[in-house]
Amino acid sequence: MSRHTDLLLTAIAPAIWGSTYLVTTEFLPDGYPLTVAMLRALPAGLLLLAIMRQLPHGVWWARAFVLGGLNFTIFWWMLFITAYRLPGGVAATVGAIQPLVVIFLARLLIGAPIRLLAVVAAVAGMAGVALLILTPQAALDPVGILAGLFGALSMAAGTVLSRRWQPPVSSLTFASWQLTAGGILLLPAALFLEPPLPALTGANIAGFAYLGLIGAAFTYFLWFRGISRLEPSAVAPLGFLSPLTAVVLGWAILGQHLTPPQLAGMAVVLASVWLAQTAQRRAVSSTPVHRQELPLPATQKPTPSTGAAS
């Protein structure tokens, strides 16, 4: 499958994540962030485990919980703290630092080079998100800012480590391990820190089903599949599509108005995503062929692998 197709499939995930705010506010009961996060992760993970019928083994038990904790437990927990303590525009702008963090973590953890064009694209994406949803009236809360930064760091670390720790299983199985682990870690927090959910309506059930099946199981399969095939610095900027989708859905479904700065922000976000992919494409085209890409001798069997060596 071509790199272009891999990028398009991976981009579907953050585009769908942009609908999370609309679904949460319009379909789910208010005031249960940890419970909602747990119900988004755990049922989806258990369903995928039942379908794939493959549990982690050996060191992958620990790695599944580390990655599940980074990508889901900590990230979603911090995400909801940020959402409750900061206006949406500030929260999204703080979270937009993630692609920049990924560039430097990828250098530290997997030895990926730092490319100036990729750094420029990440900074431009942050500016585009700020134009898209940040308003002059936005208030700044120190705890919310710290939670947003910590959440972005957690997701960035999870993205890079998901690339470094590529298991000998499919991306769907890998997603099931992480979703289940993240949901298990969220379960005690949801039970002890929040009251029980009220009686659920049909709209509530539909919202939970959408967030679990589409917003978690399907999208994170595509996300981890993309991480296994593409460099983290190429995948992370696709996350800028999430706030862009949220704004477009607010305009199309909720009747919200689009201002000139928002339209400019959309253009900057799309340009930053294109610039990031251009930087990665130039890097790939200038990289010499590695020995493992050459034909193996007839007596040597290739080792099964889904990505970079751990």
Side-chain angles (χ1 to χ4, degrees), residues 88-99 121-135 236-247 261-270 272-273:
V90 179
T93 304
V94 172
I97 196 175
Q98 180 198 330
V123 174
M126 293 171 58
V129 171
L131 283 171
L132 195 62
I133 48 187
L134 191 61
T135 63
L238 298 176
F240 291 136
L241 298 176
S242 182
L244 189 151
T245 303
V247 170
Q262 286 180 311
L263 294 174
M266 289 183 182
V268 174
V269 165
L270 292 174
S272 72
V273 173

Side-chain angles (χ1 to χ4, degrees), residues 179-190:
L179 281 166
T180 303
I184 290 173
L185 293 173
L186 279 165
L187 182 59

Side-chain angles (χ1 to χ4, degrees), residues 56-145:
H57 53 85
V59 71
W60 289 106
W61 280 105
R63 290 180 176 181
F65 275 91
V66 170
L67 293 174
L70 290 171
N71 286 321
F72 301 108
T73 308
I74 297 176
F75 173 60
W76 282 353
W77 196 335
M78 295 299 104
L79 179 69
F80 281 117
I81 291 176
T82 304
Y84 270 81
R85 299 186 70 102
L86 293 174
V90 179
T93 304
V94 172
I97 196 175
Q98 180 198 330
L100 191 63
V101 176
V102 164
I103 292 173
F104 293 99
L105 280 181
R107 174 62 179 175
L108 180 65
L109 297 178
I110 62 177
I114 296 177
R115 302 181 180 92
L116 178 61
L117 197 58
V119 174
V120 171
V123 174
M126 293 171 58
V129 171
L131 283 171
L132 195 62
I133 48 187
L134 191 61
T135 63
Q137 295 77 28
L140 301 180
D141 176 82
V143 175
I145 293 289

Side-chain angles (χ1 to χ4, degrees), residues 38-56:
M38 184 272 295
L39 290 176
R40 185 182 181 186
L42 188 55
L46 292 174
L47 176 62
L48 290 181
L49 275 180
I51 293 172
M52 303 309 295
R53 296 180 178 273
Q54 191 168 3
L55 292 172

Side-chain angles (χ1 to χ4, degrees), residues 186-214:
L186 279 165
L187 182 59
L191 290 176
F192 290 107
L193 298 180
E194 290 183 350
L197 284 172
L200 297 180
T201 65
N204 295 155
I205 295 172
F208 278 120
Y210 173 83
L211 287 182
L213 297 176
I214 306 299

